[in-house]
Amino acid sequence: DEDTIRRTLAIALEGRYRLADFPDAESAVAAARIDPPDLVLLDIGLPGMSGIEAIPVFKTMAPGILIIVITAYEDVQSVVSAMKRGAYDYILKPFKVEEIIHIVQRGLEKRRLAAENLRLREALSLYKVSEAIAASLSMDEVIATITDSSLHELRADVVSTWLDDGEGSFFERSNNRSSQLPSGESIGHFMPDAVVARLEQGGPIVEHEARAAELFAELPSRPVSSVAVVPMKTTRGSPQGGMRERLIGWVGVVSLTSSRRFDEGQRKLLSILASRAAAAIENARLYEDLQATFKQTIKSLARTIDKMDRYTAGHSARVA
């Protein structure tokens, strides 16, 4: 809140980063809601909302935000409180500008490495899941794999899978909850017409809070924090020639945790899983149809053999 110190810091950092400075926590929080920052330099002693009070507010907006607190040398207890609330590091007044620059660089490098590590883990998980989906000819196994992956890799609270019934409508094939949610708690149900309309108009969906709740026919017990829905499509030849995409279902993931929102990267990850799942589901359906055809052929042969002699008529059916 001291203009001279704040402007000095801004001048030292503005050639290196895109930044904004504010004299109080309220205005900083308001700006961060519109454009969440990567890192916050936060004075603990501020008018109105204190720096300590602002930390959990910033963390709720984007859990990955790094927060470096600045405080007087004597106020060590505030530093302890700030670190407990999620601050990344601290700087004691009086400080040197070079010290600030070094801590900021170190923090952003740590954030970059963490994000890179996360992407590598996601890529490895995606490869393993894709291989498992592609290798399966069981509808139940495909659905179980995409459900488990969504719960663990996206840290979703609820995963709902919908499939077409072959007559232009969709039904909920599975609706699973995270082990963190109590079993007696309602996890809600999507409104299929609203979801299909959105998917056909604009493709995959990522919505938060009130707009996310609009996609539900029955809301969960807890407020909806975030929703991501991706289509499962297959490509087939059309009678007119050429190829045509067909929507065979979708996968919806729900976060009921206020601090956890789905982003574009997670949406892309879910889209890749859904794409592999769509092909596997189509193969599983063809395999089931083939199995049914085999059984029907065997039954027809058995009935034909039985009818050759009136004494053996119905014998195979009775034995079965």
Side-chain angles (χ1 to χ4, degrees):
D1 58 332
E2 296 174 56
D3 291 342
T4 305
I5 295 177
R6 197 173 68 254
R7 288 309 306 154
T8 301
L9 284 172
I11 291 168
L13 295 168
E14 65 188 356
R16 304 165 184 264
Y17 310 104
R18 185 170 64 91
L19 58 87
D21 64 280
F22 304 92
D24 54 71
E26 284 87 352
S27 53
V29 165
R33 289 192 193 282
I34 299 168
D35 185 13
D38 296 312
L39 183 143
V40 178
L41 281 170
L42 184 63
D43 199 351
I44 287 183
L46 291 170
M49 182 191 295
S50 72
I52 297 292
E53 293 169 330
I55 292 172
V57 181
F58 281 117
K59 285 290 186 180
T60 299
M61 279 186 277
I65 289 178
L66 291 178
I67 297 176
I68 299 172
V69 295
I70 304 173
T71 188
Y73 182 80
E74 314 84 53
D75 197 12
V76 178
Q77 190 57 45
S78 293
V79 171
V80 174
S81 181
M83 300 301 279
K84 285 181 178 178
R85 290 186 177 220
Y88 161 69
D89 208 339
Y90 65 93
I91 296 167
L92 297 177
K93 299 176 186 176
F95 55 79
K96 295 180 180 178
V97 172
E98 293 79 10
E99 180 189 7
I100 296 268
I101 293 172
H102 174 70
I103 292 177
V104 167
Q105 287 176 335
R106 187 181 66 195
L108 291 174
E109 178 64 10
K110 178 191 175 192
R111 179 187 166 100
R112 186 190 68 78
L113 290 173
E116 188 174 301
N117 185 42
L118 180 62
R119 284 195 296 271
L120 287 171
R121 279 172 37 215
E122 285 178 347
L124 181 59
S125 299
L126 180 62
Y127 173 76
K128 289 179 178 178
V129 170
S130 295
E131 290 297 299
I133 289 174
S136 177
L137 284 173
S138 164
M139 179 83 74
D140 290 338
E141 285 182 9
V142 172
I143 298 294
T145 300
I146 197 168
T147 296
D148 291 344
S149 301
S150 300
L151 287 172
H152 295 114
E153 302 302 329
L154 276 69
R155 298 173 64 204
D157 291 314
V158 180
V159 180
S160 178
T161 309
W162 291 69
L163 297 176
D164 68 322
D165 61 2
E167 299 178 359
S169 297
F170 292 84
F171 67 97
E172 193 171 41
R173 181 66 168 71
S174 68
N175 193 10
N176 300 83
R177 72 182 70 215
S178 163
S179 58
Q180 306 299 317
L181 292 181
S183 58
E185 210 171 87
S186 171
I187 53 178
H189 295 279
F190 282 107
M191 189 188 308
D193 293 342
V195 172
V196 170
R198 287 284 304 274
L199 290 175
E200 290 179 343
Q201 286 172 8
I205 303 165
V206 178
E207 294 289 5
H208 312 300
E209 296 174 349
R211 287 184 61 83
E214 293 173 1
L215 299 171
F216 284 81
E218 176 192 327
L219 284 168
S221 302
R222 302 186 190 186
V224 178
S225 174
S226 187
V227 163
V229 182
V230 297
M232 291 191 289
K233 293 182 176 180
T234 57
T235 305
R236 284 185 176 180
S238 64
Q240 295 79 26
M243 304 303 288
R244 184 173 64 87
E245 278 193 331
R246 185 171 72 90
L247 182 69
I248 66 164
W250 75 82
V251 181
V253 293
V254 183
S255 171
L256 303 178
T257 307
S258 59
S259 62
R260 192 179 307 137
R261 288 185 170 192
F262 300 118
D263 56 28
E264 187 61 15
Q266 291 169 313
R267 197 274 302 164
K268 287 179 180 177
L269 177 65
L270 188 61
S271 292
I272 295 171
L273 290 177
S275 176
R276 295 302 298 267
I281 286 170
E282 193 74 351
N283 288 340
R285 282 176 166 174
L286 291 171
Y287 182 71
E288 287 175 359
D289 290 346
L290 187 62
Q291 292 291 90
T293 302
F294 284 159
K295 288 179 181 178
Q296 192 59 44
T297 302
I298 292 168
K299 287 180 180 179
S300 297
L301 285 169
R303 283 196 297 270
T304 302
I305 293 169
D306 283 354
K307 286 179 180 178
M308 292 176 66
D309 189 320
R310 65 189 182 90
Y311 293 106
T312 62
H315 174 71
S316 295
R318 289 193 298 273
V319 171

